[in-house]
Amino acid sequence: MTSEDTEAPAPDRGGALFDKHLADVVAVAFALVIVLYSASGPISEFVRWFIETTTPAFDEMSRRDQRVFLREHWLGAAYRSFEQSFLLPTGLIIGLPIVMSFAITLLTLHRKPGQRGINWGLTVLAVVAFSSWIIAIFASDAGALPVARPIDFVMFPLATAITLYLTWRLFGGFIVAFCLFWVIYFFAKGWLPEWTGILAGSESTMAQNLRQMVLQFWAQTGGMFGQPIQVVTGNVLIFIVFGAVLMASGAGDLLMKIANRLTGGMIGGAAHASVASSALFGTLSGAAISNVVSTGVMTIPVIRRAGFKPAFAGAVEAAASTGGQIMPPVMGVVAFFVAGQIGLEYRYIVVAAILPAAFFYLGTFLAVYFEARKRGVGALPPEARPKLTRGEWVQCLVFVLPLGTLSYFLFAQPSVPKAGFYGLVVAVVAAAVLFREFRSASRIWHAFVDAGRMAGSIVVIVTAIGLIVGLIQTSGFSGRLSQLLAEAASGPLPLVLIVVAFGAIVLGMGLPPGATYFIIVIALSSGIDTVGIAPLTLHLFVVFFAMMSTVTPPVALAAFAAAPIAGADPIKTGFEAAKIALAGFLIPFVFVYHPAVLYKLQVVFEWFGEDRVDSRAMIDIATVTWFEFFWIIAAFTLAMWLIASALAGYDRTRIAPVERLLRVALGGAVLLPQMILAGPAAVLGLALLFISPRLAGRPGAATT
């Protein structure tokens, strides 16, 4: 090999480095755009305040004169011009995040030497295609009727192909295959025979189908530009920046230290630290896979060293991280989808999720606790329990202040973007004051790079989800499925719920929770009233099972992410994770039959002086009592103690097989809505817990 051969790749390496730096610049710009859009409300308020305070006679003007003066004042006119040209156009609100997200990802997609040209070619094509859509939507905003232009028949397939290709590279082939199925179905539905049932659609030519697709998915804000991406760009992305800033500040290490300190003295303390840290991380990110990757590299090795098997160590992290998707105040993307879908303010969904999230982590805690007792894993030794210094206790304000600010604006002034913006501002200030390392431009730069990259990957998958949702709706399949479901809903409610739960889990095995949610909800769209439960209850039921699909084999994405870190078999890790997260499969049925779980805490809004919550999406909270609220807390705790110990086969001593079956039966009975059955079951369950150790202590009884 000559020296020329050995030196040839150098330009490629240099070019790849340039592309990475360029992608980082675009990522930072994207993060700043996200912040700017979320700050539009506070900026508008500041402009008005500034004009009012610098104009002595402003209060003496009539309201009409005040409005005119606000428009004509130099600052008001400048802001109005900026708002109309950048903050309000639909094309920029939706299109700019897509263009920047695709550029960020495509610039570094292929990393082998010599593949730079592919990255640049795809980037240019994506920017041109989506920019043409932005220009067309500008014309529509100006009053032009949406039409399918000849160029659109080129740009739409090009943009779709790039979207699916990028989705495949980032998220695997299942979701792409699922999307392609609906594309093919859209064109073939008219030729399907009647015996295919709800799949058979109206006849139309290929040209008519293509024109309809281009007109609705490209000339208007449908398909890739529909509700999923609109919800994400409007409400979700600012929380990605919020979490990235806190993690970059060094708060992640502090979070792990707090978790170990809180739980280290418990039996199985190492595993409980994983549960606690994932719950705390869930308040910031609300994403299962990122939680596994962020906390798992630190917690899983510690859990293994404590004496747990590799598969169980990975499963603990996978199960605990899954719960982060329903952990208030920053729940997963799906929670924002729920708010938009049922027309309910996000704060009510946050309050509804408080008790289910607590139940989930209670069940996870008990599963870990009994496994630890079974394997003789004790608390962490004192030297392994980190002590927080006085300075670190003060640094805990980096969580308290931003989350407090976020919660205040979510509850007192219900504006999600404004809450995210003010929470971010407080997070940046608190991190800069409390963490010396964060005061460097490099650290802040990398925080925004991470935020832009994470936001970019979310936009890519949500764009694909929007295409799937649009195809299902426009093809007419959702209407036929809704009709079928409405007919099925006349049957017993438990059967309907089981069908919905099964559908959410099966779809969720290959799709992100957001895609699963939308597909199931579209099917339910005209059958919700027939099902006979409140929309919020039904939608959260779907959300829970979409979430639980991440730990349900054979495709348990959270478990698959944890298994390599633990050095365990992914399938075995998935089954262990499903067992640890068993509470998540029970909680949706619990809050359907015990509505106090979701609705009783909504009374906090009345405590703060607001009127009683009145929404068609919710039940009347006056119909649930405090007795029902406290009863289900006690009943669920008892039920999970019985069931978790039965699954582990161990409580204070080893449990015989017959008693394990009895514990499961009594645990299920305690959760029944009929008190005439649940009450005696609770008494029998408590009695069993009391006498079980004494029975085990008799000669011949099973012991450790």
Side-chain angles (χ1 to χ4, degrees), residues 462-499:
V462 170
T463 304
I465 290 171
L467 183 61
I468 294 171
V469 170
L471 287 166
I472 293 174
Q473 290 177 322
T474 309
S475 66
F477 177 80
S478 62
R480 295 188 294 275
L481 185 59
S482 298
Q483 184 178 1
L484 180 66
L485 184 66
E487 295 173 0
S490 59
L493 179 59
L495 179 61
V496 176
L497 294 177
I498 290 171
V499 171

Short mmCIF file of all heavy atoms in Angstrom, two decimals, residues 462-499:
data_model
loop_
_atom_site.label_atom_id
_atom_site.label_comp_id
_atom_site.label_asym_id
_atom_site.label_seq_id
_atom_site.Cartn_x
_atom_site.Cartn_y
_atom_site.Cartn_z
N VAL A 462 -42.33 11.69 14.31
CA VAL A 462 -43.68 12.24 14.34
C VAL A 462 -44.16 12.57 12.93
O VAL A 462 -45.35 12.44 12.63
CB VAL A 462 -43.73 13.48 15.25
CG1 VAL A 462 -45.04 14.21 15.11
CG2 VAL A 462 -43.53 13.07 16.71
N THR A 463 -43.25 12.98 12.06
CA THR A 463 -43.62 13.21 10.66
C THR A 463 -44.12 11.92 10.02
O THR A 463 -45.13 11.92 9.30
CB THR A 463 -42.42 13.76 9.88
OG1 THR A 463 -41.93 14.95 10.52
CG2 THR A 463 -42.82 14.12 8.45
N ALA A 464 -43.43 10.82 10.28
CA ALA A 464 -43.88 9.52 9.76
C ALA A 464 -45.21 9.12 10.37
O ALA A 464 -46.09 8.58 9.69
CB ALA A 464 -42.81 8.47 10.03
N ILE A 465 -45.38 9.38 11.67
CA ILE A 465 -46.65 9.06 12.34
C ILE A 465 -47.79 9.84 11.69
O ILE A 465 -48.88 9.30 11.46
CB ILE A 465 -46.55 9.39 13.84
CG1 ILE A 465 -45.61 8.41 14.55
CG2 ILE A 465 -47.94 9.35 14.49
CD1 ILE A 465 -45.31 8.80 15.98
N GLY A 466 -47.55 11.10 11.39
CA GLY A 466 -48.58 11.91 10.75
C GLY A 466 -49.00 11.35 9.41
O GLY A 466 -50.20 11.37 9.06
N LEU A 467 -48.05 10.81 8.65
CA LEU A 467 -48.38 10.21 7.36
C LEU A 467 -49.27 8.99 7.56
O LEU A 467 -50.26 8.81 6.84
CB LEU A 467 -47.09 9.83 6.64
CG LEU A 467 -47.24 9.24 5.24
CD1 LEU A 467 -47.92 10.23 4.31
CD2 LEU A 467 -45.88 8.83 4.68
N ILE A 468 -48.94 8.15 8.55
CA ILE A 468 -49.75 6.96 8.83
C ILE A 468 -51.17 7.36 9.23
O ILE A 468 -52.16 6.83 8.73
CB ILE A 468 -49.10 6.11 9.93
CG1 ILE A 468 -47.76 5.54 9.44
CG2 ILE A 468 -50.03 4.98 10.36
CD1 ILE A 468 -46.95 4.87 10.53
N VAL A 469 -51.25 8.32 10.15
CA VAL A 469 -52.57 8.76 10.64
C VAL A 469 -53.39 9.33 9.49
O VAL A 469 -54.59 9.04 9.35
CB VAL A 469 -52.39 9.81 11.76
CG1 VAL A 469 -53.72 10.45 12.11
CG2 VAL A 469 -51.77 9.18 12.99
N GLY A 470 -52.76 10.14 8.64
CA GLY A 470 -53.48 10.73 7.51
C GLY A 470 -53.98 9.67 6.54
O GLY A 470 -55.11 9.76 6.02
N LEU A 471 -53.16 8.66 6.27
CA LEU A 471 -53.56 7.59 5.35
C LEU A 471 -54.75 6.81 5.90
O LEU A 471 -55.69 6.48 5.16
CB LEU A 471 -52.39 6.64 5.11
CG LEU A 471 -51.26 7.19 4.22
CD1 LEU A 471 -50.02 6.31 4.34
CD2 LEU A 471 -51.72 7.28 2.77
N ILE A 472 -54.74 6.51 7.20
CA ILE A 472 -55.84 5.75 7.80
C ILE A 472 -57.13 6.55 7.75
O ILE A 472 -58.20 6.01 7.46
CB ILE A 472 -55.48 5.36 9.24
CG1 ILE A 472 -54.31 4.36 9.25
CG2 ILE A 472 -56.67 4.75 9.96
CD1 ILE A 472 -53.80 4.02 10.63
N GLN A 473 -57.03 7.84 8.02
CA GLN A 473 -58.22 8.68 8.02
C GLN A 473 -58.76 8.91 6.61
O GLN A 473 -59.95 8.75 6.34
CB GLN A 473 -57.92 10.02 8.68
CG GLN A 473 -57.70 9.94 10.18
CD GLN A 473 -57.34 11.28 10.78
OE1 GLN A 473 -56.61 12.07 10.19
NE2 GLN A 473 -57.84 11.55 11.97
N THR A 474 -57.88 9.29 5.69
CA THR A 474 -58.31 9.67 4.35
C THR A 474 -58.80 8.47 3.55
O THR A 474 -59.67 8.60 2.68
CB THR A 474 -57.15 10.36 3.60
OG1 THR A 474 -56.64 11.41 4.40
CG2 THR A 474 -57.62 10.95 2.28
N SER A 475 -58.25 7.30 3.84
CA SER A 475 -58.67 6.10 3.10
C SER A 475 -60.08 5.65 3.46
O SER A 475 -60.67 4.84 2.76
CB SER A 475 -57.69 4.95 3.37
OG SER A 475 -57.76 4.55 4.73
N GLY A 476 -60.61 6.18 4.57
CA GLY A 476 -61.94 5.77 5.02
C GLY A 476 -61.92 4.58 5.94
O GLY A 476 -62.95 4.18 6.49
N PHE A 477 -60.73 3.99 6.15
CA PHE A 477 -60.64 2.80 7.00
C PHE A 477 -61.04 3.12 8.44
O PHE A 477 -61.69 2.31 9.10
CB PHE A 477 -59.22 2.24 6.96
CG PHE A 477 -59.01 1.05 7.86
CD1 PHE A 477 -59.41 -0.20 7.46
CD2 PHE A 477 -58.43 1.20 9.12
CE1 PHE A 477 -59.23 -1.30 8.28
CE2 PHE A 477 -58.25 0.12 9.95
CZ PHE A 477 -58.65 -1.14 9.53
N SER A 478 -60.63 4.30 8.93
CA SER A 478 -60.92 4.64 10.33
C SER A 478 -62.42 4.70 10.58
O SER A 478 -62.91 4.29 11.63
CB SER A 478 -60.27 5.97 10.70
OG SER A 478 -60.80 7.03 9.91
N GLY A 479 -63.18 5.22 9.59
CA GLY A 479 -64.63 5.29 9.76
C GLY A 479 -65.26 3.91 9.83
O GLY A 479 -66.14 3.66 10.66
N ARG A 480 -64.80 3.00 8.96
CA ARG A 480 -65.35 1.64 8.98
C ARG A 480 -64.94 0.90 10.25
O ARG A 480 -65.74 0.14 10.82
CB ARG A 480 -64.87 0.88 7.74
CG ARG A 480 -65.41 1.47 6.44
CD ARG A 480 -65.08 0.60 5.24
NE ARG A 480 -63.66 0.53 4.97
CZ ARG A 480 -62.99 1.43 4.24
NH1 ARG A 480 -63.63 2.47 3.73
NH2 ARG A 480 -61.69 1.30 4.01
N LEU A 481 -63.72 1.13 10.70
CA LEU A 481 -63.28 0.50 11.94
C LEU A 481 -64.03 1.06 13.14
O LEU A 481 -64.39 0.32 14.07
CB LEU A 481 -61.77 0.71 12.12
CG LEU A 481 -61.12 0.01 13.32
CD1 LEU A 481 -61.33 -1.49 13.24
CD2 LEU A 481 -59.63 0.33 13.38
N SER A 482 -64.31 2.36 13.12
CA SER A 482 -65.06 2.98 14.20
C SER A 482 -66.46 2.39 14.29
O SER A 482 -66.99 2.15 15.37
CB SER A 482 -65.14 4.50 13.98
OG SER A 482 -63.86 5.06 14.00
N GLN A 483 -67.06 2.19 13.11
CA GLN A 483 -68.40 1.61 13.09
C GLN A 483 -68.40 0.20 13.67
O GLN A 483 -69.29 -0.17 14.45
CB GLN A 483 -68.93 1.60 11.66
CG GLN A 483 -70.38 1.11 11.54
CD GLN A 483 -70.87 1.18 10.11
OE1 GLN A 483 -70.14 1.58 9.20
NE2 GLN A 483 -72.12 0.77 9.89
N LEU A 484 -67.38 -0.58 13.30
CA LEU A 484 -67.27 -1.94 13.83
C LEU A 484 -67.07 -1.91 15.33
O LEU A 484 -67.69 -2.69 16.07
CB LEU A 484 -66.10 -2.65 13.15
CG LEU A 484 -65.85 -4.10 13.60
CD1 LEU A 484 -67.02 -4.99 13.21
CD2 LEU A 484 -64.55 -4.63 12.98
N LEU A 485 -66.23 -0.99 15.80
CA LEU A 485 -65.97 -0.90 17.23
C LEU A 485 -67.22 -0.44 17.98
O LEU A 485 -67.50 -0.90 19.08
CB LEU A 485 -64.81 0.06 17.50
CG LEU A 485 -64.38 0.17 18.96
CD1 LEU A 485 -63.81 -1.15 19.45
CD2 LEU A 485 -63.38 1.28 19.15
N ALA A 486 -67.96 0.49 17.36
CA ALA A 486 -69.19 0.96 18.00
C ALA A 486 -70.18 -0.19 18.18
O ALA A 486 -70.88 -0.28 19.18
CB ALA A 486 -69.81 2.07 17.16
N GLU A 487 -70.22 -1.08 17.19
CA GLU A 487 -71.09 -2.25 17.32
C GLU A 487 -70.58 -3.19 18.41
O GLU A 487 -71.36 -3.73 19.19
CB GLU A 487 -71.16 -2.99 15.98
CG GLU A 487 -71.82 -2.18 14.88
CD GLU A 487 -71.73 -2.86 13.53
OE1 GLU A 487 -71.14 -3.97 13.47
OE2 GLU A 487 -72.23 -2.30 12.54
N ALA A 488 -69.25 -3.36 18.47
CA ALA A 488 -68.67 -4.23 19.50
C ALA A 488 -68.84 -3.64 20.89
O ALA A 488 -68.90 -4.36 21.89
CB ALA A 488 -67.20 -4.48 19.21
N ALA A 489 -68.89 -2.29 20.95
CA ALA A 489 -68.96 -1.62 22.25
C ALA A 489 -70.28 -1.87 22.96
O ALA A 489 -70.42 -1.58 24.14
CB ALA A 489 -68.76 -0.11 22.07
N SER A 490 -71.27 -2.39 22.23
CA SER A 490 -72.54 -2.70 22.88
C SER A 490 -72.43 -3.93 23.76
O SER A 490 -73.34 -4.24 24.53
CB SER A 490 -73.63 -2.91 21.82
OG SER A 490 -73.25 -3.98 20.94
N GLY A 491 -71.30 -4.63 23.67
CA GLY A 491 -71.07 -5.80 24.50
C GLY A 491 -70.57 -5.42 25.88
O GLY A 491 -70.55 -4.23 26.24
N PRO A 492 -70.14 -6.38 26.67
CA PRO A 492 -69.66 -6.09 28.02
C PRO A 492 -68.44 -5.17 27.99
O PRO A 492 -67.53 -5.35 27.17
CB PRO A 492 -69.30 -7.48 28.57
CG PRO A 492 -70.02 -8.45 27.68
CD PRO A 492 -70.11 -7.82 26.35
N LEU A 493 -68.41 -4.19 28.89
CA LEU A 493 -67.30 -3.23 28.94
C LEU A 493 -65.95 -3.92 29.15
O LEU A 493 -64.98 -3.55 28.48
CB LEU A 493 -67.55 -2.20 30.04
CG LEU A 493 -66.45 -1.14 30.23
CD1 LEU A 493 -66.24 -0.35 28.95
CD2 LEU A 493 -66.80 -0.22 31.40
N PRO A 494 -65.84 -4.92 30.04
CA PRO A 494 -64.53 -5.57 30.20
C PRO A 494 -63.99 -6.15 28.90
O PRO A 494 -62.79 -6.05 28.62
CB PRO A 494 -64.79 -6.68 31.23
CG PRO A 494 -65.99 -6.21 31.98
CD PRO A 494 -66.82 -5.47 30.98
N LEU A 495 -64.88 -6.73 28.08
CA LEU A 495 -64.44 -7.32 26.81
C LEU A 495 -63.93 -6.23 25.87
O LEU A 495 -62.90 -6.40 25.20
CB LEU A 495 -65.59 -8.09 26.17
CG LEU A 495 -65.29 -8.74 24.81
CD1 LEU A 495 -64.17 -9.76 24.96
CD2 LEU A 495 -66.54 -9.39 24.24
N VAL A 496 -64.65 -5.10 25.81
CA VAL A 496 -64.23 -3.99 24.95
C VAL A 496 -62.86 -3.48 25.40
O VAL A 496 -61.97 -3.23 24.57
CB VAL A 496 -65.27 -2.85 24.99
CG1 VAL A 496 -64.78 -1.66 24.17
CG2 VAL A 496 -66.61 -3.33 24.46
N LEU A 497 -62.67 -3.32 26.69
CA LEU A 497 -61.40 -2.82 27.21
C LEU A 497 -60.26 -3.79 26.91
O LEU A 497 -59.14 -3.36 26.59
CB LEU A 497 -61.51 -2.57 28.71
CG LEU A 497 -62.47 -1.45 29.14
CD1 LEU A 497 -62.55 -1.38 30.66
CD2 LEU A 497 -62.04 -0.11 28.57
N ILE A 498 -60.54 -5.08 27.03
CA ILE A 498 -59.50 -6.07 26.74
C ILE A 498 -59.09 -6.00 25.27
O ILE A 498 -57.91 -6.08 24.92
CB ILE A 498 -59.99 -7.48 27.11
CG1 ILE A 498 -60.08 -7.61 28.64
CG2 ILE A 498 -59.06 -8.55 26.55
CD1 ILE A 498 -60.75 -8.88 29.12
N VAL A 499 -60.08 -5.83 24.38
CA VAL A 499 -59.78 -5.71 22.94
C VAL A 499 -58.92 -4.49 22.67
O VAL A 499 -57.93 -4.54 21.93
CB VAL A 499 -61.08 -5.66 22.13
CG1 VAL A 499 -60.79 -5.32 20.67
CG2 VAL A 499 -61.82 -6.99 22.22
#
